[in-house]
Amino acid sequence: MQGKAYVAGVGLVPFGKPGTTEPYDQMAAAAVRHALNDAGLSYEAVQQAFAGYVYGDSTSGQRALYGVGMTGIPIVNVNNNCSTGSTALFLARQLIEAGVLDCVLAVGFEQMLPGALSEHWTDRPSPFARFDRLCEEINPWQVPLALRYFGGAGKEYMERYDVTPRLFARVRAKASRHGANNPGALLRKVLSEDDVMAAPLVFPEAGMTRLMACPPTCGAAAAILVSQRFAERMNLDRRIVIVAQAMTTDRPGTFEKRSMMALVGADMTRAAADLVYQQAGIGPEDLDVVESAANFIFVRHPQHDAGELAARLRQRGIIVRHFRLPRIEQYLRITVGSDEQCALLLQALQELLARR
C-alpha cells in the first residue's frame, strides 16, 4: 500500500549572480541546515540523500553534504537539466511512499558561470544533437542557445495565438512584483510592462528583450521528506503532504510535430499535469488561484462557506476578513502573524473542519 510523503522541513539560501555567492558546497550545506532546523531534526536522522545539480563535477553532492555530516548514508547525485531539482524530490518521495525509508533529504544547488549557456563536452556526441538539428531547420535565427530554444517557442506561441511580446512583458512585470516581496530572490526590482518592452532587444525577430530572459543564477534549496510513522514517532509537523507528482519524457511527437513549443517540452508538461490531476483526483477547474503579493493570504475551502468559517473563528477570538462581494464572497483574507498565531489558526481550522 502506498504511504504518504510529508514535507517536514525546507530551507534555502538567497540566490545571486555568478561570482557574488558563496561556493556551491557552502550554499548547499546552509540550505540543508535550514531544512533540518525547520524540521527539528539532526542530520543523523537522514537515511539517504539526493543531491541535484547540473554545473559541477561528479560527487559534488558528497562535497556539499560532508560539510553537514559524515554518517555513511547513500548520497545519489542527480543531473537532469531543468528538472534536476524536481527529479531529486521525485526520487526521495518514491522511497518514502514505497515504505523503503522514513527520512530522506533532497537538495538542489547550482554555481553557474556568467553569460549565455553553452555546451562543455564538445569531444563527444551531444545529447541535444537531434534537438539542435530540428531547431536549426525550423528556428534558424542566430541567437544564444537557450534563447534560441525558448525564445523560438515563445515566437511560435505568439504566432499561434495571435498575441504580441507585451504578453511576456506582463508576465515579467508580474514576476518582478513577487520578487520584490521575496528576500531570497535574485531580482527584486519592480518593473512595469513598459520597462520590460524598453529594454534592449536580444531576439529581434521575436520582439523579445533582455528583461524577458532569465540570467544565470546561483543558489541552493533543500527539503526533508518523512513517512507518516516517522513523523508521528518524532512528533513532526504533518501539515504538508505531497498529494501528487509526475515526471515525463519525450514521445515521438516532440520531433514529428516540427514545433518549437513541442521541442522545449510543452507536450511533456501537459502530460505531467494530466498525471498529477489524475493522481490527486481533481482537475484544473477545481483550482482557483488569486494572486497575492502582500502580508496576507486569500483562500477559500471548496466545501465550507467562508462567512460561516469566519464567524466560527471569531467565536474563538481569531479574526479573519470576509467580504460579501461578487467573485470573492467565498474567500477569507488571513493576515500572516507570528508562528504562535499561525499555529492557533491552523489548530482551530482543523477542529472546525473535522466537525463537518
Side-chain angles (χ1 to χ4, degrees):
M1 180 177 179
Q2 178 174 297
K4 294 182 178 180
Y6 292 88
V7 183
V10 295
L12 75 160
V13 299
F15 282 57
K17 296 179 180 180
T20 67
T21 67
E22 294 181 326
Y24 73 90
D25 57 326
Q26 295 181 33
M27 291 190 292
V32 170
R33 292 191 188 97
H34 289 322
L36 290 169
N37 289 336
D38 188 41
L41 294 171
S42 67
Y43 187 65
E44 285 69 25
V46 176
Q47 297 168 298
Q48 186 163 324
F50 292 95
Y53 61 93
V54 175
Y55 293 92
D57 287 326
S58 178
T59 69
S60 290
Q62 279 84 340
R63 169 62 188 261
L65 292 177
Y66 285 176
V68 182
M70 299 177 67
T71 57
I73 63 170
I75 299 174
V76 181
N77 292 271
V78 179
N79 181 331
N80 210 16
N81 260 12
C82 295
S83 63
T84 294
S86 58
T87 302
L89 187 70
F90 185 88
L91 295 170
R93 176 191 56 80
Q94 285 185 320
L95 284 180
I96 296 294
E97 289 184 346
V100 177
L101 297 174
D102 288 313
C103 184
V104 182
L105 165 68
V107 58
F109 53 85
E110 212 65 81
Q111 183 178 345
M112 299 185 71
L113 297 172
L117 302 181
S118 62
E119 291 190 83
H120 297 280
W121 307 101
T122 57
D123 62 337
R124 63 202 70 186
S126 168
F128 295 107
R130 190 177 179 186
F131 292 83
D132 289 340
R133 285 196 298 271
L134 182 57
C135 182
E136 178 69 28
E137 293 175 14
I138 62 179
N139 187 49
W141 310 110
Q142 297 305 305
V143 292
L145 179 68
L147 187 61
R148 189 176 188 184
Y149 273 90
F150 294 100
K155 183 174 183 293
E156 180 182 315
Y157 182 93
M158 288 188 287
E159 294 168 350
R160 181 182 300 183
Y161 296 106
D162 193 25
V163 295
T164 70
R166 187 162 285 275
L167 174 67
F168 297 117
R170 290 178 61 190
V171 174
R172 177 66 178 88
K174 175 182 176 180
S176 76
R177 296 193 295 272
H178 290 297
N181 290 283
N182 181 357
L186 166 64
L187 304 175
R188 302 195 62 194
K189 179 182 178 181
V190 175
L191 300 170
S192 67
E193 293 179 35
D194 290 338
D195 292 332
V196 179
M197 292 301 297
L201 287 170
V202 291
F203 193 165
E205 294 79 6
M208 294 184 178
T209 71
R210 181 175 60 82
L211 289 176
M212 296 177 189
C214 298
T217 309
C218 306
I224 306 290
L225 303 190
V226 300
S227 66
Q228 182 172 343
R229 63 190 176 193
F230 183 85
E232 292 174 347
R233 185 169 73 248
M234 302 297 291
N235 194 29
L236 302 180
D237 191 332
R238 287 187 289 129
R239 288 175 293 178
I240 301 177
V241 61
I242 299 179
V243 176
Q245 186 183 16
M247 181 172 293
T248 57
T249 53
D250 293 291
R251 292 181 179 273
T254 297
F255 302 103
E256 293 171 354
K257 289 183 176 181
R258 297 183 63 80
S259 158
M260 286 303 302
M261 290 172 60
L263 201 62
V264 301
D267 292 346
M268 285 194 296
T269 302
R270 188 176 296 108
D274 289 341
L275 285 172
V276 295
Y277 283 134
Q278 181 180 351
Q279 293 170 17
I282 63 172
E285 68 279 359
D286 298 309
L287 302 177
D288 193 359
V289 180
V290 177
E291 181 181 1
S292 175
N295 65 334
F296 62 84
I297 56 175
F298 206 50
V299 296
R300 72 177 179 92
H301 193 283
Q303 282 90 39
H304 290 265
D305 181 76
E308 183 180 345
L309 276 178
R312 292 167 123 189
L313 288 170
R314 182 180 289 272
Q315 292 173 358
R316 293 171 175 243
I318 300 174
I319 308 300
V320 298
R321 295 289 302 279
H322 175 241
F323 304 90
R324 295 194 179 278
L325 298 171
R327 187 181 175 225
I328 63 171
E329 62 183 353
Q330 286 302 320
Y331 284 84
L332 295 177
R333 180 186 186 274
I334 304 175
T335 301
V336 178
S338 65
D339 289 345
E340 181 182 0
Q341 291 169 331
C342 290
L344 289 172
L345 170 65
L346 289 172
Q347 181 181 351
L349 285 172
Q350 288 171 348
E351 293 174 356
L352 292 172
L353 298 178
R355 293 180 181 178
R356 178 177 170 83

